[in-house]
Amino acid sequence: MQRSTVHLVRHGEVHNPEGVLYGRLPEFHLSELGRRMADQMAGYFEQRREDGANIVLLVASPLTRAQETAQPVSEALGLPITTDERIIEAENRFEGMSRIKSRLRQPRYWPLLVNPFLPSWGEPYSQQVSRVLEGVQSARRAALALAGPGVGSAGGEAPPEAILVSHQLPIWVTRLAAEHRRLWHDPRQRECTLTSVTSLDFDGEAIRRVRYSEPCADLLPGAANVPGA
C-alpha cells in the first residue's frame, strides 16, 4: 500500500487595517509580515526537501492571499502552482463586514445565529469537509502519479508529498473530521495559526495520522488574525 502526505497550509497575514471579515472577497493581499511568513514557510519546505522529503505538487486556493503565500514555495521548490476551487475559504454571510462582535448584538442578524452547529451563518461544516477532502484526495493521487510507480511503497523511495495552501476554517474542520471529532466548535480554540502546516499522512486512501506544526511561530506574536477569516 502506497504512503503519501498532503500538507494543508494556511495563508500568511493579510493587510486588513479595517478588520474586515474578508472571506472570499478578491484583492486582499498579504501584509509585509505575511510576506515574511510566506518566505519563512517556503524555507521550511525547502529544508524538508533537503532532508529527503519527496515534495512533488503545489496547489493553492484561488484567493489572492493563498496564491501569494504559495508563490515563494513555488520559487523555492521549482513547482508550478495549481489552483483548486475546492480548497477555497468557507462562505460566510458576514463577509465584507467589520466589527463583527458588535453586529452580533443587533437583532437583525440574530436569525443567522439560530444554529451554530451547522452553522446557520455560512457554508455547512460538513460541506466544507467534503469539498476539501475531494481536493486532498485529488492531490494525493496526482502526487503519486508524479512520483512514479512504486514510490511510497514499503522499502521504496520516500512517499510523495503535496502542499495545499488554503484557509483556517476549511483546514480546521477537515482536521476535526480526520480525527473523528465533532465539527462544531469555538472559533477561538482552532489550532490553525497563520502559515501553520496540518499534515495528513495516508496509507492508500486512508488517513493514518494527522500532524501539526508552526514554521512561523516566532512571527505570530502581534500578527492580526480576524476570527473566521
Side-chain angles (χ1 to χ4, degrees):
M1 184 176 292
Q2 287 183 294
R3 292 189 170 186
S4 57
T5 295
V6 176
H7 303 285
L8 295 173
V9 175
R10 187 183 173 195
H11 60 80
E13 185 194 56
V14 173
H15 178 67
N16 184 19
E18 302 302 320
V20 173
L21 197 156
Y22 36 76
R24 295 182 176 182
L25 295 176
E27 299 307 314
F28 272 84
H29 296 268
L30 295 183
S31 65
E32 181 179 347
L33 177 59
R35 291 191 292 272
R36 287 175 58 199
M37 289 177 169
D39 289 340
Q40 187 160 311
M41 193 259 298
Y44 166 81
F45 281 111
E46 188 173 26
Q47 185 61 55
R48 279 189 55 80
R49 175 178 275 183
E50 291 178 4
D51 292 340
N54 187 15
I55 305 172
V56 298
L57 182 67
L58 175 61
V59 182
S61 154
L63 295 176
T64 304
R65 57 193 185 272
Q67 293 282 322
E68 291 181 347
T69 301
Q71 189 58 45
V73 183
S74 173
E75 295 169 1
L77 301 182
L79 295 174
I81 301 171
T82 300
T83 300
D84 192 336
E85 292 274 354
R86 291 172 293 191
I87 61 172
I88 199 170
E89 177 64 280
E91 294 178 339
N92 193 311
R93 297 285 293 279
F94 293 103
E95 180 179 285
M97 300 182 187
S98 58
R99 299 181 291 106
I100 299 299
K101 289 183 179 180
S102 65
R103 294 180 188 274
L104 297 183
R105 293 193 288 268
Q106 301 175 25
R108 62 176 171 150
Y109 293 116
W110 291 352
L112 298 180
L113 307 176
V114 66
N115 186 357
F117 304 104
L118 186 59
S120 51
W121 57 82
E123 182 182 10
Y125 295 138
S126 59
Q127 185 172 307
Q128 294 178 52
V129 171
S130 178
R131 64 175 171 81
V132 172
L133 283 179
E134 284 183 7
V136 165
Q137 289 288 2
S138 177
R140 181 191 63 80
R141 291 189 294 268
L144 286 168
L146 287 167
V151 176
S153 300
E157 297 179 39
E161 301 182 12
I163 301 168
L164 276 60
V165 183
S166 184
H167 308 269
Q168 186 190 60
L169 179 53
I171 293 173
W172 178 243
V173 292
T174 299
R175 175 179 172 179
L176 292 177
E179 295 178 335
H180 307 288
R181 293 195 272 166
R182 66 173 186 245
L183 301 184
W184 61 270
H185 60 279
D186 181 343
R188 295 168 297 182
Q189 302 302 316
R190 294 173 188 161
E191 187 180 36
C192 188
T193 61
L194 294 163
T195 53
S196 60
V197 182
T198 300
S199 302
L200 308 177
D201 294 327
F202 285 85
D203 277 334
E205 296 183 0
I207 299 172
R208 65 180 175 87
R209 182 175 62 168
V210 178
R211 294 177 287 124
Y212 177 79
S213 59
E214 295 180 349
C216 300
D218 59 313
L219 299 179
L220 293 174
N225 192 8
V226 178

